[in-house]
Amino acid sequence: MATRASAHGDRAGISDPRPARPRNALGAVESAMTRSPEALLPPPLMLLLLATPAQLYSDYHYFGERGEGDTWEQLQLQHQGKGLIPVASVGGGGSMDLSELEKDNTGRCRLNSPVPSVCRKEPCVLGVDEAGRGPVLGPMVYAICYCPLSRLADLEALKVADSKTLSESERDRLFAKMEEDGDFVGWALDVLSPNLISTSMLGRVKYNLNSLSHDTAAGLVQYALDQGVKVAQVFVDTVGLPETYQERLQQRFPNIEVTVKAKADALYPVVSAASICAKVARDQAVKNWKFVEKLQDLDIDYGSGYPNDPKTKAWLRKHVEPVFGFPQFVRFSWRTAQTILEKEAEIVTWEDSTTEDQAGLRMITSYFNEGPRTRPRLPHRYFQERGLESATTL
């Protein structure tokens, strides 16, 4: 059985200067080392698929009914009192301090602002939104933003809007203004790395993007509650059917009024504010991404990062390693990445045991359907000691 080690795009009109591809895994590795020893990236892509998300990230555990799927959230009791990850305050020009993410961008990272004291005293409204759900490159960032109901008009006065309608400089400016109003506005982020997203989706226990999104949003709401925020209303930009999503969140938070809507980031200012936080964080994470792989001639012009962007596809084709696949900046579970892997990666032949090696071995199914026994069953010890035998005729 032959499979390819890795996924869209072709090299139409360009001859392939590489030597003929070896037909087994060892030959593929030797071929790659001959071309460039530095090209061998850290752990092979396929090894990542052998672990489930829970095994890869031990800081997380299941919550809710196990039958709901491979859902997991951070061990909140373990982290209470010492915080999750110290937060990122704003630097100049409305930028975030993502140094904790830059130290390790292979899993997930939570960042948060200080909780305004008024948010622990008065009922608050909280918005949830994400940035980077669709791209094949970079992390997905979920964000919450909250403020007291009594100060909602002050948040609206900042002229926050759906982050997709704003330029990068406008988003940075609005985020800086929210930071200046930190006496009544708070936020928190959950940054999910491409590696985490792909290993979740392709693990032995499948964890699709919708479930991951729903659980991340619910985890952020719970995090705000654990920090003492008096959340009274929650507004969420939907993923999937809004009715189903709202019912699920309402069951999880029965004492909070939950509203899930399509285009909520354009309808509710508190969701618009969350979308700005998420987008500012993702833009900065992508721009300053630290590659753990030793990439030669790294091109940082990836385009938009979306699968249908020709510049993004060209970047993927340039930086696919024939044996080990893509750097961890790539969501290798995306179809675009898989197609490029199928065309550009080495073919690996997985050799089964020969017939001679299997001689004398029984198939596992034979233990469940043995048929006639080759050896007679010995009678019970009681009958053997007394010389008793079964009477077949009288």
Side-chain angles (χ1 to χ4, degrees):
M1 176 183 68
T3 60
R4 289 185 185 268
S6 316
H8 205 21
D10 53 35
R11 291 180 173 173
I14 301 177
S15 61
D16 191 346
R18 296 181 300 188
R21 293 177 174 179
R23 304 302 295 182
N24 56 67
L26 179 58
V29 174
E30 291 174 346
S31 174
M33 291 183 69
T34 301
R35 290 192 303 273
S36 171
E38 293 81 4
L40 295 179
L41 307 180
L45 172 65
M46 296 306 297
L47 292 181
L48 295 175
L49 305 183
L50 299 179
T52 62
Q55 291 171 317
L56 284 170
Y57 306 103
S58 58
D59 280 348
Y60 294 80
H61 73 104
Y62 298 99
F63 70 89
E65 293 297 322
R66 185 61 181 267
E68 294 176 3
D70 188 20
T71 56
W72 34 287
E73 180 49 64
Q74 204 151 20
L75 287 166
Q76 293 164 358
L77 293 177
Q78 174 182 330
H79 294 286
Q80 280 178 0
K82 60 181 180 181
L84 288 173
I85 292 177
V87 173
S89 207
V90 203
S95 63
M96 290 183 181
D97 176 10
L98 300 183
S99 57
E100 291 296 330
L101 173 65
E102 292 167 3
K103 289 178 183 176
D104 181 5
N105 57 21
T106 62
R108 68 195 298 170
C109 174
R110 183 166 292 168
L111 308 171
N112 60 281
S113 70
V115 178
S117 58
V118 67
C119 292
R120 291 191 169 107
K121 301 174 183 177
E122 298 184 18
C124 293
V125 58
L126 180 148
V128 183
D129 201 8
E130 52 76 25
R133 177 179 166 83
V136 66
L137 300 178
M140 177 172 70
V141 181
Y142 255 83
I144 58 172
C145 188
Y146 53 88
C147 72
L149 286 165
S150 63
R151 303 293 300 273
L152 184 56
D154 295 328
L155 180 64
E156 295 177 5
L158 297 179
K159 305 297 183 183
V160 291
D162 176 8
S163 64
K164 294 186 290 293
T165 67
L166 302 171
S167 67
E168 183 176 356
S169 60
E170 289 174 324
R171 290 191 296 266
D172 288 343
R173 178 182 59 81
L174 287 170
F175 179 73
K177 289 177 68 175
M178 284 190 283
E179 285 291 292
E180 292 172 3
D181 290 328
D183 60 327
F184 73 93
V185 177
W187 54 267
L189 307 172
D190 208 346
V191 184
L192 283 65
S193 73
N195 183 55
L196 181 145
I197 294 170
S198 292
T199 53
S200 297
M201 294 175 67
L202 297 180
R204 286 175 293 179
V205 180
K206 305 301 181 187
Y207 190 23
N208 66 44
L209 192 61
N210 278 7
S211 296
L212 181 60
S213 299
H214 292 167
D215 295 337
T216 302
L220 282 169
V221 175
Q222 185 63 55
Y223 175 68
L225 293 171
D226 292 343
Q227 296 302 301
V229 179
K230 297 186 66 175
V231 182
Q233 296 179 4
V234 169
F235 294 90
V236 185
D237 194 19
T238 193
V239 170
L241 294 175
E243 298 81 11
T244 305
Y245 191 7
Q246 179 170 318
E247 181 181 1
R248 181 178 180 181
L249 286 174
Q250 194 65 76
Q251 290 176 352
R252 175 82 188 271
F253 305 106
N255 298 322
I256 297 175
E257 180 184 340
V258 177
T259 301
V260 178
K261 293 280 188 183
K263 307 296 183 184
D265 48 0
L267 298 174
Y268 306 104
V270 71
V271 181
S272 301
S275 75
I276 290 171
C277 293
K279 183 63 174 169
V280 167
R282 174 178 154 81
D283 286 349
Q284 189 170 327
V286 169
K287 185 182 301 182
N288 300 324
W289 189 263
K290 302 296 184 184
F291 287 85
V292 297
E293 302 84 1
K294 304 291 185 182
L295 298 180
Q296 294 182 341
D297 302 323
L298 175 63
D299 181 4
I300 60 172
D301 186 7
Y302 348 95
S304 67
Y306 280 86
N308 59 352
D309 185 339
K311 187 175 289 189
T312 298
K313 290 181 181 179
W315 189 92
L316 288 169
R317 285 194 293 270
K318 178 179 179 181
H319 293 288
V320 61
E321 210 288 327
V323 176
F324 295 102
F326 293 106
Q328 294 188 15
F329 185 56
V330 179
R331 303 180 192 178
F332 54 84
S333 57
W334 260 232
R335 185 60 206 164
T336 301
Q338 291 178 359
T339 302
I340 291 177
L341 285 170
E342 290 167 2
K343 291 185 176 182
E344 305 294 337
E346 299 287 357
I347 297 175
V348 177
T349 301
W350 301 95
E351 297 180 356
D352 295 330
S353 301
T354 63
T355 305
E356 291 77 11
D357 294 337
Q358 297 180 4
L361 298 178
R362 298 174 62 185
M363 296 180 62
I364 192 169
T365 54
S366 67
Y367 291 92
F368 302 98
N369 184 24
E370 291 191 338
R373 294 178 179 271
T374 57
R375 290 190 307 171
R377 176 184 290 176
L378 294 176
H380 189 273
R381 176 183 171 186
Y382 175 88
F383 297 99
Q384 292 186 59
E385 291 176 348
R386 290 162 178 78
L388 299 176
E389 297 180 358
S390 299
T392 56
T393 59
L394 294 176

